[in-house]
Amino acid sequence: MSVFVTQLFNGLSLGSIMLFIAIGLAITFGLMGVINMAHGELIMVGAYATYVVQQFFAQYAPQSMDYYYVIAIPVSFFVSALLGLGLEKSLIRHLYHRPLDSLLATWGVSLILQQMARTIFGAPNVAVLPPKWLDGGVHVAGMVFPYKRLFILAFVAVSIFVLYMYLNKTAAGRRIRAVTLNRDMAACLGISTQKVDAYAFAIGSGFAGLAGCALTLLGPIGPTIGTYYIVDAFMVVILGGVGKVIGTVLGAFGIGLIGTLTEYSTSATMAKVITFALIIVFLQWKPSGLVSMKTRSLD
Amino acid sequence: MIKKNWMYWMFFLALFLAPFYLTEFRLSLLGKFLCFAMIAIGISLIWGYTGILSLGHGVYFGLGAYCMAMYLKLEASGGRLPDFMEWSGVNNLPWFWKLFEHPIISISSAIIVPVLLAMFLSYFTFRNRIKGVYFSLLSQAIVVVFVTLFIGKQEWTGGTNGLTNFSTVFGFSLSSPLTQIVLYLLTVVLLLSMFLFSRWLTRSRFGRVLVAIRDSENRVRFLGFNPTTYKVFVYSLSAAFAGIAGAMFVLQVGLISPAMMGIIPSIEMVLWVAVGGRSSLIGAIIGAIVTNGAKSFFSENYPDIWLLFLGGLFIAVVLFLPNGLAGVYQSVKQRKKQGEVRANEASSHVLQRVSRF
């Protein structure tokens, strides 16, 4: 029983990390259809932003070190969002009708960002010390649930809730959905699609930054952290189905649970192989993913 | 046309004569680049002509290379267990390794294994009408699967180090310059035959269907063709090219490891084709040679700048040169021709070619 609960918790925990790295993509890829291979590097930028905030606190306000993380969350969001905005305005704007080309160009961006991180922060990984109040865990019937994992679960739940409310309950969110559903009609009704594209992309990038901030709790970060996660992130969004945020949530927790269950019965490498193979097989059966938008169009 | 053919022949003649004017080191480098050019031809066929962007060609290249490398490793071990197997505590040669004691099985499987995988994968994906970016991302997932598998099954594949330390092939020493020259010439012959075959293919009726699939797959379907058959065939063909390239690569470089078939090399393969011109076969060959030449120059002299340069190259090619070097050549030629036509006051609209994509 306790083994089962622990595995379930590990699965949810892995799922929450998967979800975090994929929320941003659910907006930029799922809603807007842009293949942003630099998404992983936006995660990296968020992680390094957290690192910089921590260094800043250690330097100038060591007495309030415990609370640096509270500041780091918005900072990592805005740094990545600004970078994303710049990326959209300078590059991605020109490639909306050429998805395969945007894939290649953003891959180029990711290489440049990686090299810049290497130049600024050095090639070795840097460690971000998690705040003290996240040490330890909850003990229930001989099982330990670390605070860090619980915090990430809560963090991702809040993020998803905020994103859902934003997309469904605010005027700006409605505009994003309108442009997603029918770009030309939205433009006819007076929505500036260019503006919507820009801020939707910035928000997606901002969520990537938050993911980076959350990942610093789990281990050291390095310039290539993005490459490590990018394929996983795309798999989550494709498995979940594009166009609906709820699909991404299901996809992430599905991958998390399958991953931990196979890892429990085999090894870490085989778990990854089996999970990916299962996703590929599943997509053969349901090419549009778990939750799909109903459409009558041919392509 | 005759003039254009003449240039192709000059190019291949220059490659054939390379052993006379290049040092041993440069020749082995060029031989490596020509293996990459084989992959580039395949990618040009599927991407430039058919519109399938595969980010997984590293796998086919790697499988071909491993098939060849297993034979070489067994020959180098001379009847004993390969060294890495002893280190990982394997006592008997696994059954599938035994097959690779025969050179014919090993060489033919360097083609058959990648082709079978490509056929299996592409048949189901294309039949289920998974296309465009979805296919690209799925092919990337395949890369992750294989690289993880090859690293994880260390006792069978040599893990991260891959397979290396070969000595002979069919009894000839791999380190002797003569063997290397023979292998180089074999590479050129193979490249030339792949090029000629692909050129014939793209100019046939089959090639026109491929271009039609790229431009409007549904229309092709409505006209009564089955795009799946065409796509599976051309995808498997490009996998075969990549497999052959892998085998020749191992023979000349003497090393294959999972890092050479990973996500980054697979995307770099696409870049070679993008630089050369995606819908030009000769452009793909030149793109592979030029990009890799630049890579070895930069990474030898300025390793820090290389990634920046590579990233910038990706962006610049996509934004400014969608048809690559071949496109630049075409438009320069066209401008010249148009100038002449204007001078003759003839109509120029026939020559105005619309560049697609």
Side-chain angles (χ1 to χ4, degrees):
Chain A
M1 182 61 197
S2 74
V3 171
F4 177 73
V5 175
T6 316
Q7 289 305 318
L8 192 69
F9 177 74
N10 286 345
L12 284 179
S13 175
L14 181 62
S16 66
I17 295 160
M18 289 283 167
L19 183 53
F20 233 138
I21 58 178
I23 313 176
L25 270 189
I27 302 171
T28 54
F29 175 54
L31 294 178
M32 300 169 69
V34 178
I35 314 294
N36 181 15
M37 293 304 271
H39 185 79
E41 275 58 40
L42 292 169
I43 295 177
M44 174 198 78
V45 167
Y48 273 113
T50 312
Y51 173 72
V52 169
V53 170
Q54 183 205 253
Q55 294 297 323
F56 184 82
F57 267 69
Q59 196 79 31
Y60 297 104
Q63 67 280 8
S64 45
M65 256 313 261
D66 280 351
Y67 303 102
Y68 85 87
Y69 201 74
V70 183
I71 307 292
I73 292 173
V75 167
S76 55
F77 181 90
F78 282 110
V79 169
S80 287
L82 275 179
L83 195 63
L85 190 67
L87 199 59
E88 204 275 345
K89 294 251 183 216
S90 59
L91 181 64
I92 290 166
R93 161 152 306 178
H94 307 290
L95 299 171
Y96 277 122
H97 301 290
R98 299 190 285 164
L100 295 182
D101 281 354
S102 77
L103 191 157
L104 293 179
T106 49
W107 180 263
V109 172
S110 86
L111 290 180
I112 291 175
L113 288 177
Q114 269 180 39
Q115 185 57 43
M116 279 164 73
R118 211 167 278 140
T119 316
I120 298 170
F121 297 100
N125 288 357
V126 295
V128 177
L129 288 176
K132 287 226 172 49
W133 42 273
L134 283 176
D135 285 344
V138 186
H139 294 260
V140 181
M143 293 171 288
V144 186
F145 302 115
Y147 282 135
K148 280 179 204 160
R149 300 268 173 175
L150 290 171
F151 177 76
I152 291 177
L153 262 172
F155 193 2
V156 83
V158 171
S159 304
I160 285 286
F161 178 73
V162 169
L163 178 63
Y164 179 82
M165 293 308 271
Y166 178 76
L167 284 178
N168 288 285
K169 303 289 173 195
T170 66
R174 271 200 296 278
R175 279 198 287 274
I176 293 183
R177 286 191 303 138
V179 172
T180 316
L181 284 172
N182 194 333
R183 175 173 292 268
D184 295 335
M185 187 53 75
C188 289
L189 293 174
I191 295 173
S192 165
T193 51
Q194 282 201 348
K195 259 189 205 156
V196 170
D197 285 336
Y199 72 75
F201 196 84
I203 290 170
S205 309
F207 273 102
L210 283 186
C213 185
L215 284 177
T216 57
L217 294 178
L218 296 172
I221 49 168
T224 54
I225 190 172
T227 332
Y228 185 76
Y229 285 110
I230 185 73
V231 182
D232 292 14
F234 271 110
M235 283 299 113
V236 169
V237 180
I238 293 182
L239 176 66
V242 296
K244 294 250 179 182
V245 176
I246 185 73
T248 311
V249 176
L250 291 177
F253 284 110
I255 289 181
L257 286 174
I258 293 171
T260 39
L261 289 180
T262 44
E263 189 171 339
Y264 181 65
S265 42
T266 56
S267 64
T269 45
M270 282 318 284
K272 186 146 198 176
V273 171
I274 292 172
T275 314
F276 271 63
L278 281 178
I279 297 172
I280 294 168
V281 171
F282 178 81
L283 288 174
Q284 304 296 337
W285 175 51
K286 263 190 175 312
S288 51
L290 287 166
V291 179
S292 56
M293 303 264 277
K294 287 201 175 56
T295 169
R296 280 165 179 271
S297 69
L298 196 53
D299 279 310
Chain B
M1 258 325 155
I2 296 161
K3 205 172 155 193
K4 210 172 168 187
N5 277 339
W6 173 78
M7 282 178 71
Y8 290 155
W9 291 118
M10 283 300 286
F11 175 67
F12 278 103
L13 191 67
L15 289 182
F16 266 115
L17 296 178
F20 292 109
Y21 59 83
L22 283 182
T23 60
E24 217 171 287
F25 172 71
R26 296 279 162 209
L27 189 70
S28 73
L29 219 53
L30 185 62
K32 193 169 96 177
F33 296 168
L34 293 186
C35 294
F36 293 154
M38 294 179 188
I39 312 175
I41 292 183
I43 291 182
S44 169
L45 278 181
I46 57 168
W47 185 34
Y49 283 90
T50 325
I52 308 166
L53 177 58
S54 165
L55 300 179
H57 263 55
V59 168
Y60 306 122
F61 171 75
L63 285 175
Y66 268 96
C67 284
M68 194 68 221
M70 280 159 87
Y71 168 75
L72 294 176
K73 190 76 197 169
L74 288 174
E75 198 177 296
S77 322
R80 286 184 299 119
L81 267 186
D83 43 11
F84 67 88
M85 285 193 187
E86 281 176 19
W87 300 332
S88 5
V90 178
N91 296 320
N92 291 311
L93 203 59
W95 60 269
F96 59 90
W97 268 80
K98 283 212 178 81
L99 295 176
F100 287 88
E101 281 172 350
H102 309 284
I104 303 200
I105 292 187
S106 151
I107 291 173
S108 51
S109 61
I111 305 171
I112 293 170
V113 172
V115 168
L116 280 183
L117 176 70
M119 277 170 79
F120 178 76
L121 179 75
S122 62
Y123 175 70
F124 286 105
T125 358
F126 293 143
R127 198 194 57 172
N128 292 322
R129 304 196 187 174
I130 297 176
K131 54 189 170 188
V133 289
Y134 293 93
F135 180 79
S136 308
L137 294 169
L138 271 192
S139 63
Q140 209 169 33
I142 300 280
V143 176
V144 174
V145 167
F146 272 86
V147 171
T148 328
L149 206 59
F150 272 61
I151 294 176
K153 289 281 165 205
Q154 191 170 1
E155 65 274 22
W156 292 345
T157 60
T160 336
N161 299 329
L163 299 177
T164 183
N165 287 335
F166 313 127
S167 52
T168 53
V169 56
F170 312 134
F172 298 103
S173 166
L174 274 172
S175 52
S176 94
L178 189 64
T179 321
Q180 285 299 328
I181 288 178
V182 171
L183 284 172
Y184 171 81
L185 290 178
L186 184 63
T187 313
V188 179
V189 170
L190 282 170
L191 183 69
L192 179 62
S193 31
M194 284 178 193
F195 171 70
L196 290 178
F197 177 71
S198 308
R199 203 164 70 122
W200 169 76
L201 195 69
T202 50
R203 290 181 177 188
S204 67
R205 181 183 147 88
F206 184 90
R208 282 201 292 276
V209 177
L210 292 185
V211 174
I213 290 174
R214 176 191 75 188
D215 292 343
S216 174
E217 187 171 340
N218 284 317
R219 214 171 287 178
V220 174
R221 216 183 281 277
F222 297 152
L223 286 171
F225 294 91
N226 184 1
T228 310
T229 325
Y230 288 86
K231 284 165 92 174
V232 170
F233 176 79
V234 76
Y235 190 71
S236 311
L237 183 69
S238 79
F241 285 1
I244 296 170
M248 293 312 294
F249 176 85
V250 154
L251 284 170
Q252 295 180 73
V253 178
L255 165 72
I256 180 71
S257 74
M260 295 174 181
M261 54 194 277
I263 290 182
I264 294 171
S266 301
I267 293 192
E268 267 180 38
M269 289 170 189
V270 174
L271 179 73
W272 307 334
V273 181
V275 167
R278 61 188 77 170
S279 44
S280 154
L281 295 169
I282 197 83
I285 297 178
I286 291 172
I289 297 173
V290 167
T291 321
N292 282 295
K295 181 179 180 172
S296 59
F297 173 76
F298 274 103
S299 48
E300 274 164 28
N301 298 309
Y302 317 96
D304 288 347
I305 300 181
W306 165 242
L307 270 184
L308 289 179
F309 176 76
L310 189 68
L313 195 62
F314 264 108
I315 299 170
V317 166
V318 166
L319 281 184
F320 306 115
L321 296 176
N323 288 321
L325 293 175
V328 174
Y329 175 75
Q330 285 280 339
S331 62
V332 166
K333 210 173 66 177
Q334 210 151 335
R335 204 163 290 169
K336 222 161 104 188
K337 228 182 219 171
Q338 262 173 11
E340 282 165 20
V341 170
R342 274 205 200 103
N344 295 338
E345 288 179 339
S347 67
S348 65
H349 71 274
V350 191
L351 289 156
Q352 211 111 51
R353 246 187 245 162
V354 182
S355 67
R356 305 200 70 107
F357 289 85

